[in-house]
Amino acid sequence: MKTTSCWPVILYARMLRFYPPSFRAEYEEEMLFVFSQAVAESARRGKAALAGLFLREALSWPRELLVVYRDWLAGLVNNEISPRVEPAWNSKLESGKRDPMDPKNKNAGWSVHNRRQALLAALPPLLFGLGIGISWLVIGRQWQSISRLQLYAGIGAGFLAAAVIAVGALFALLKGLPDWGYMWVGSALLGFVLLLQTAAEELAESGLYHLSAGGETAVEILILLLFLAFLSISAWRGWQCAGMASIGMSSILAVSLYHVVAVPPLNRPDMAALAIPYGALVAGLVYLFLRRSSTLWQAAALLFIGLVNLAAVMTVDTAWQALLDTGKPFPILPFAGIISGLLLAGPLLSLAGRPVRRRFRRE
Amino acid sequence: MSYVDMSYGDLLGGLITTDMEAGNYTPLTEATFLILLSLAHKPKHGYAIMKDVRAMSKDRVVLSTGTLYGAIRRLLEQAWIERLDTTLEEEKSEASQGRQRKAYVLTRLGSQILEAEIKRISGLAEVARLRTAGSRA
């Protein structure tokens, strides 16, 4: 289809970019073609007709956009995944795209059974583990005396991993949260909270932290609501999606503990290198969780991830006990509780909400 | 036509047996009614629907491209219309030049709903005509 390349068509093409990807894939080219035909005809009738046409499009655009997004989100929320369904080997699912507006995809399969997508979903813990491990292997124990280049290379490795996870999560959100995206968004969400906490601590050390107690509470409530909203959306889509969201969150928190052992007062960057095998192990278990359709296998994978997370907590505790004999004990129980709670929150929320989901679907 | 060839809309249309059932979908919005009416006799592509709606309503209903495709999306989802894979007769020359436009056609369900809406409007018009004739007399 050829389109006229005059300014209203170019502008209209830009406006169409705001629609959801699934809608664009289906109608963008056709809409642009129809609009260019309308432009050509209006141009023959004069500038006023052309301006009228564009004004009409511009005025109806926000309303139509809202309607399309409303339907798209409704489709997203109602589109629970059935783990028992065999993989649907059609091109749309293989490419990771799920069009919630397409009724044909309403009961589409658990698309991460696809090997490529399962690998993609398993990447965040491995990436973050590699980032932290490499970072501290490069920096080493004597970080005060190393060259600036070495320091920046070490810090850069960690930031690069975090940035890739953040970009992947953003991409998943823009793609309408395909199945693999739950791991990435869950990981990025927890990473974002860790980043906020680190920034707050750094600012406090420099005396630049000015948030009141009330402000802090407000931020904490906002973060809690953000977590709850994401877990609820995942839980609505099924316990496997909620499981992925939970694994993403808990594994990022667990891998960050290997960073904790490397910084003062523990100063054990050698132990931080354990983040690499940890990340690889969790990624392998996530892959198993996604590729196996049996609930028993999936529950076993979750259990093992929980145990590996506890091993990370134990590692920090060991370093803590060995180096700080007389100091405050490491809060092993609260940490283990938070990490395990995060891991179980999604699947349990989904299972608890099953009667509600069934009732909504029947209606 | 075998069941294999039938579309979702045709199957639904087959299940709707009475006017009353088709009437459950009415009243339609004016834009939806005019789009369905535009497709009543033959398949049309997007721009032809747009022009037809404008002509039928005597320039009163002028659809924007966004509104038209928003409606088309909903009608496709409800299986009241469907996409035609074949190229329209008048577009064969364009198709040969690499331009293939998508045409839309009413399904059996869409036809039944359109008929039900026409009956509803006709009934209303008849009542109005009788009442106004009575008041004049």
Side-chain angles (χ1 to χ4, degrees):
Chain A
M1 289 184 191
K2 287 181 184 175
T3 51
T4 318
S5 54
C6 59
W7 68 265
V9 179
I10 294 167
L11 208 59
Y12 191 64
R14 298 261 190 280
M15 284 160 68
L16 288 178
R17 287 185 189 175
F18 286 88
Y19 281 97
S22 51
F23 183 88
R24 286 176 61 195
E26 194 86 21
Y27 302 105
E28 186 179 33
E29 196 186 3
E30 208 178 326
M31 286 172 81
L32 204 57
F33 183 60
V34 166
F35 182 71
S36 68
Q37 282 185 306
V39 165
E41 194 174 301
S42 299
R44 279 196 292 276
R45 287 190 278 133
K47 282 183 181 168
L50 190 61
L53 169 78
F54 194 78
L55 196 67
R56 194 165 56 242
E57 291 292 347
L59 289 176
S60 71
W61 177 71
R63 188 172 55 89
E64 291 305 325
L65 204 63
L66 275 177
V67 171
V68 170
Y69 268 103
R70 183 201 61 196
D71 293 352
W72 179 69
L73 281 172
L76 199 72
V77 167
N78 291 323
N79 209 9
E80 190 180 9
I81 297 163
S82 160
R84 296 283 181 195
V85 179
E86 282 303 302
W89 297 106
N90 63 44
S91 57
K92 266 196 171 178
L93 288 179
E94 283 207 343
S95 64
K97 288 175 187 168
R98 174 187 298 276
D99 183 357
M101 290 191 300
D102 187 348
K104 283 176 285 186
N105 283 345
K106 280 267 156 74
N107 291 309
W110 176 232
S111 68
V112 279
H113 274 317
N114 174 323
R115 182 177 294 177
R116 199 158 42 104
Q117 287 190 45
L119 280 173
L120 183 64
L123 273 180
L126 178 64
L127 278 174
F128 203 49
L130 277 172
I132 286 180
I134 292 173
S135 175
W136 285 103
L137 281 176
V138 170
I139 294 170
R141 190 181 283 260
Q142 304 297 323
W143 63 272
Q144 296 94 334
S145 57
I146 59 172
S147 72
R148 196 167 278 250
L149 184 70
Q150 199 179 345
L151 186 67
Y152 286 159
I155 294 172
F159 270 102
L160 183 67
V164 171
I165 293 171
V167 170
L170 208 61
F171 183 69
L173 286 174
L174 288 173
K175 284 270 173 192
L177 213 52
D179 296 341
W180 57 264
Y182 288 88
M183 270 293 292
W184 288 77
V185 177
S187 304
L189 204 57
L190 206 289
F192 173 69
V193 174
L194 291 177
L195 184 74
L196 273 186
Q197 194 197 343
T198 311
E201 281 170 6
E202 291 298 321
L203 286 174
E205 268 182 30
S206 333
L208 296 168
Y209 187 77
H210 300 302
L211 203 61
S212 64
E216 265 183 19
T217 311
V219 172
E220 281 164 6
I221 289 172
L222 269 177
I223 289 170
L224 199 65
L225 287 176
L226 200 65
F227 271 70
L228 266 177
F230 177 59
L231 277 177
S232 303
I233 290 171
S234 318
W236 189 265
R237 291 277 303 271
W239 83 271
Q240 286 85 359
C241 282
M244 279 204 285
S246 275
I247 295 169
M249 290 178 181
S250 66
S251 63
I252 294 299
L253 186 58
V255 88
S256 71
L257 290 177
Y258 290 103
H259 172 73
V260 172
V261 292
V263 294
L266 300 179
N267 290 314
R268 289 291 305 272
D270 53 322
M271 285 181 85
L274 286 173
I276 299 174
Y278 166 84
L281 192 58
V282 173
L285 288 167
V286 171
Y287 184 78
L288 190 75
F289 176 80
L290 300 175
R291 292 282 288 165
R292 296 283 177 169
S293 52
S294 145
T295 310
L296 195 67
W297 269 103
Q298 290 170 334
L302 265 183
L303 179 72
F304 274 104
I305 291 171
L307 291 175
V308 176
N309 285 346
L310 289 180
V313 179
M314 296 293 286
T315 307
V316 185
D317 184 56
T318 307
W320 192 285
Q321 299 300 339
L323 294 168
L324 302 172
D325 292 335
T326 54
K328 208 169 63 172
F330 178 71
I332 185 166
L333 279 178
F335 258 102
I338 290 170
I339 291 180
S340 305
L342 275 176
L343 184 67
L344 294 174
L348 288 180
L349 191 65
S350 178
L351 292 175
R354 191 175 267 183
V356 182
R357 285 201 316 274
R358 278 189 185 146
R359 197 173 156 191
F360 264 87
R361 275 216 222 111
R362 229 177 283 135
E363 281 166 6
Chain B
M1 187 192 278
S2 71
Y3 277 101
V4 179
D5 299 327
M6 284 173 95
S7 70
Y8 179 53
D10 287 334
L11 282 169
L12 270 179
L15 292 173
I16 293 176
T17 48
T18 63
D19 287 347
M20 206 195 218
E21 283 174 80
N24 287 341
Y25 294 93
T26 62
L28 304 177
T29 62
E30 195 172 10
T32 305
F33 175 68
L34 288 170
I35 291 170
L36 293 181
L37 198 59
S38 168
L39 297 172
H41 291 297
K42 60 174 187 175
K44 285 192 180 81
H45 53 72
Y47 189 55
I49 299 172
M50 222 162 144
K51 285 207 296 188
D52 206 20
V53 165
R54 188 172 184 162
M56 282 191 293
S57 67
K58 296 188 173 69
D59 285 350
R60 205 167 40 78
V61 179
V62 185
L63 297 175
S64 69
T65 316
T67 309
L68 172 69
Y69 278 90
I72 283 178
R73 178 181 63 86
R74 284 190 292 275
L75 293 174
L76 282 171
E77 277 180 11
Q78 289 163 324
W80 294 9
I81 64 170
E82 63 185 351
R83 271 211 188 97
L84 212 60
D85 292 332
T86 52
T87 310
L88 300 181
E89 199 56 44
E90 61 266 32
E91 290 171 1
K92 279 194 174 155
S93 60
E94 283 186 1
S96 64
Q97 294 162 18
R99 298 179 195 174
Q100 185 143 14
R101 286 186 283 182
K102 283 162 188 163
Y104 299 92
V105 63
L106 277 189
T107 58
R108 192 166 158 191
L109 173 66
S111 298
Q112 285 176 337
I113 289 164
L114 179 64
E115 275 169 31
E117 180 68 349
I118 291 169
K119 266 189 190 165
R120 190 187 68 82
I121 294 171
S122 303
L124 276 177
E126 183 61 18
V127 169
R129 194 185 60 77
L130 289 172
R131 286 288 173 99
T132 49
S135 66
R136 265 189 235 117

